[in-house]
């Protein structure tokens, strides 16, 4: 009985049905000698013997009584015997299901075609393409279904009929007319692509003979049993399962046979397939590199190169990860080639407002102004390259040689940015020129004179190497480096997109020989900031102002930087700006405070640094680290955004130097103030953070030798409260952060003078010596 219970769910199995019939016949023979109630059960059993064939009738006196307990689940129960055939379950394979979905989508589109609803047709067409991808994934050896090709032909014919009917077009709603125009453009690209163009043409030639084409294209190794099992897929154009991917016919043609129209058509197909699932990105890059060599005319070559840069960006893994160094270098080489081409052909202009010509069959002609306009956006490429370099410096360990090698690529990027800036100035594009100028400013504003001179020498050294390479390769240094990068990419065996080999990373980027840096960083900043102030938007002007404030404070010009900050009123509107600009404002304020401290302006330094240091989140405010507090509640998305905003290591401001400057300024201001009114009920507090640290230090039972910055400052504070300037100076001068200050001797001399002055003032306030200064001054000084 247990065996019949487990076989009840598979009614479609013929072997199990025959076995149950044999058991039913044997049960009838055994029940022939039983009572009359048993014989009546056998009569009822004979009516249902063709169904499940169970012997459960011999165990019950009334066949109409409901089954109880385990008998309800037995295969021979009467409730199942009458409905087995009616409830027969049809099991479909994954291929059948996908094919049914594809057919249903085609039927839905036909229904919408009857009512001329192009908005619904547009959305259903997108769903149809998605289901086609799912169907082809399930059937690996199957091409494009014939039902899909038939749907494309019907849609194209219906579209042409609708466009020809002017009265119908006039009656359409604006939404429906817009969807009609969208479908016209999409269907035209779709039906003329390499993937579907030949299939549509073949279908139009012979729309009825489906079976013959499938038999010709089916694999000879498939057995007859497999063909019978896949009978529902006779509508598919089949490929052999082991066949390699068909090589594009353009790659086997002679360059003289390739026409302008063929290159343009292939370029349109690549642009249409970008971003689609299942597209081989590396194959697209290789095809574009081939098209760049066989392009007809300079404008078409520029179109191919611009498309190549976009395809190289597609190889990058994503926003969260940075572009591999080798891939970044390949993009730089293509961009340098584009700029050389534009310099040699000044009658060609790249304009992002120009519409790309899709139906052009010949080289474009010049307009009324004598210029040939090609669609392209150089500024977007420059900004993306800058962002990718910034992200790589965020991730790479700053204590390795890899970080230093990455910094050596900065002169090449500056040369490219300067070329793009000069090109925009030549064509008069004042809308995009400030964007590039601001990118160059953000590479200069944090550099000291020593660092700028070192980078200038590195640029000249790299230009000498590029000149030697150009002499060895007559085609030019950029062309030689491009060929080397292509060879390295061809030897890449990684299957993951964007994964480059170390040989590709070692490709040398030649600095253009016509690039020259200004004599000083101040001259470069003045020239670039003037362009941003003249043509930039509000955000660009604010960032340029903060950069020039930072730069002047870094070079010791505190008063000029302070005046620019006060006149710009940036401190009033900074909370309304984006987060990256707020970080730049915090960095400028920190550098302004350090400049005031170096000049001995203690009150100004404290006012600039107190708000940053007193917050307790100075790392986050300067984007130089993330606090890992146990009470912080941050989502993973917030942590990811904060990591993207972090500054690279070579742009950091020393946090120890900021802490030392802030606490020393607070000490010099607070100690005399506390001595002047020791018994006051309401004491005037200048620095709350300093008082908090001092109270904690005074409550300690035992204090050892100073180790941290706070320990040194608190030891100096105790000595200063006694009027001992020598002990205070000894504790302050023992700090190791003074090695980071360029004018170390002058700063320590200033501190010694300030400590003497404040120690005398504190002593006088504490002991109230009155007129007996004659013997007090020698003791204190």
């Amino acid at each position: 009985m247990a065996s019949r219970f487990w076989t009840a769910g598979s009614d479609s199995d013929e072997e199990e049905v025959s076995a149950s019939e044999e058991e039913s016949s044997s049960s009838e023979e055994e029940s022939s000698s039983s009572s009359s109630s048993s014989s009546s059960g056998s009569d009822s059993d004979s009516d249902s013997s063709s169904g499940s064939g169970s012997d459960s009738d011999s165990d019950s006196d009334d066949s109409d009584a409901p089954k109880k307990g385990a008998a309800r689940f037995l295969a021979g129960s009467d409730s199942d015997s009458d409905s087995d055939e009616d409830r027969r379950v049809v099991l479909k394979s994954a291929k059948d299901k996908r094919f049914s979905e594809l057919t249903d989508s085609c039927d839905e589109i036909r229904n919408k075609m009857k009512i001329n609803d192009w908005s619904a047709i547009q959305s259903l067409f997108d769903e149809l393409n998605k289901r086609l991808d799912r169907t082809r994934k399930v059937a690996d050896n199957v091409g494009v279904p014939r039902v899909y090709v038939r749907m494309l032909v019907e849609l194209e014919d219906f579209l042409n009929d609708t466009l020809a009917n002017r009265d119908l077009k006039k009656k359409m709603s604006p939404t429906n007319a817009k969807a009609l125009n969208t479908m016209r453009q999409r269907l035209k690209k779709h039906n003329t692509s390499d993937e579907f163009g030949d299939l549509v043409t073949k279908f139009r030639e012979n729309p009825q003979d489906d079976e013959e084409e499938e038999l010709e294209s089916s694999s000879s190794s498939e057995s007859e049993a497999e063909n019978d099992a896949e009978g529902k897929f006779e509508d598919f154009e089949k490929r052999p399962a082991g066949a390699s991917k068909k090589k594009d016919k353009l790659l086997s043609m002679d360059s003289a046979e390739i026409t302008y129209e063929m290159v343009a058509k292939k370029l349109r197909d690549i642009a249409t397939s970008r971003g689609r699932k299942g597209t081989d990105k590396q194959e697209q890059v290789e095809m574009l590199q081939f098209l760049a060599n066989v392009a007809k005319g300079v404008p078409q070559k520029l179109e191919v190169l611009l498309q190549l840069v976009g395809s190289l960006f597609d190889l990058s893994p994503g926003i969260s990860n940075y572009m591999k160094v080798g891939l970044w270098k390949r993009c730089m080489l293509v961009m340098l080639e584009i700029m050389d081409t534009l310099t040699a052909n000044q009658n060609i202009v790249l304009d992002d407002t120009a519409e790309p010509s899709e139906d052009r069959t010949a080289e474009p002609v010049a307009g009324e102004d004598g210029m040939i306009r090609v669609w392209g956006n150089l500024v977007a490429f420059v900004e993306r390259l800058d962002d990718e370099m910034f992200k790589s410096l965020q991730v790479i360990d700053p204590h390795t040689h890899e970080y230093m090698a990455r910094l050596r690529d900065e002169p090449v990027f500056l040369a490219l940015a300067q070329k793009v800036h000069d090109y925009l100035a030549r064509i008069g594009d004042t809308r995009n020129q400030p964007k590039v100028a601001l990118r160059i400013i953000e590479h200069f504003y944090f550099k000291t004179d020593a660092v700028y001179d070192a980078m200038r020498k590195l640029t000249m050294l790299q230009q000498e190497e590029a000149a030697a390479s150009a002499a060895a390769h007559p085609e030019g240094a950029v062309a030689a480096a491009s060929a080397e990068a292509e060879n390295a990419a061809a030897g890449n065996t990684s299957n993951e997109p964007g994964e480059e080999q170390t040989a590709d990373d070692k490709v040398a980027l030649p600095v253009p020989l016509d690039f020259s840096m200004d004599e000083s960083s101040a001259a470069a900043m003045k020239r670039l900031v003037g362009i941003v102030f003249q043509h930039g938007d509000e955000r660009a002007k604010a960032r340029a102002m903060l950069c020039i404030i930072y730069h002047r404070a870094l070079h010791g010009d505190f008063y000029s930087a302070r005046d620019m900050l006060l006149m710009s009123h940036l401190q009033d509107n900074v909370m309304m700006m984006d987060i990256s600009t707020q970080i730049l404002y915090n960095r400028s304020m920190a550098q302004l405070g350090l400049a005031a401290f170096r000049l001995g302006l203690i009150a100004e330094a404290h006012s600039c640094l107190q708000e940053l240091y007193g917050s307790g989140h100075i790392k986050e405010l300067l984007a130089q680290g993330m606090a890992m507090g146990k009470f912080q509640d941050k989502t993973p998305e917030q942590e990811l955004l904060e990591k993207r905003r972090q500054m690279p290591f070579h742009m950091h401001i020393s946090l120890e130097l900021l802490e030392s400057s802030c606490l020393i300024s607070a000490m010099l201001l607070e100690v005399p103030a506390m001595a002047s009114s020791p018994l006051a009920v309401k004491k005037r507090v200048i620095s709350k953070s300093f008082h908090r640290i001092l109270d904690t230090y005074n409550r300690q039972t035992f204090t050892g030798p100073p180790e941290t910055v706070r320990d040194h400052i608190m030891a100096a504070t105790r000595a200063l409260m006694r009027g001992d300037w020598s002990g205070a100076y000894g504790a302050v001068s023992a700090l190791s952060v003074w090695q980071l200050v360029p004018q170390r001797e002058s700063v320590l001399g200033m501190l010694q003078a300030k400590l003497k002055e404040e120690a005398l003032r504190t002593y006088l306030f504490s002991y109230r010596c009155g007129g007996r200064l004659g013997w007090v001054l020698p003791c204190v000084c």
Side-chain angles (χ1 to χ4, degrees), residues 391-497:
K391 287 195 292 185
S392 66
L393 291 172
Q394 286 177 323
V395 176
I396 299 175
D397 186 1
H399 305 290
T400 59
H401 293 288
E402 184 182 1
Y403 192 88
M404 298 302 297
R406 193 73 181 103
L407 286 177
R408 289 174 64 89
D409 296 332
E410 189 177 15
V412 186
F413 172 78
L414 291 175
L416 173 64
Q418 188 62 46
K419 279 178 171 289
V420 174
H421 180 270
D422 296 341
Y423 166 76
L424 295 174
R426 177 169 61 84
I427 65 175
D429 189 357
T430 57
R431 182 174 62 90
N432 291 319
Q433 188 181 359
K435 298 179 182 179
V436 182
L438 183 61
R439 291 284 177 165
I440 302 175
I441 288 172
E442 292 179 354
H443 281 266
F444 284 156
Y445 79 95
F446 60 90
K447 287 181 170 59
T448 61
D449 290 336
V451 175
Y452 184 84
D453 293 340
M455 192 172 84
R456 192 164 175 264
K457 292 179 181 178
L458 174 64
T459 302
M460 292 187 291
L461 179 62
Q462 291 180 348
Q463 285 178 333
E464 293 176 359
E465 296 176 355
S469 177
H473 300 84
E475 68 274 11
V478 175
S482 300
E484 184 181 355
E486 292 178 5
N487 294 334
N492 182 18
T493 58
S494 176
N495 294 326
E496 295 293 331

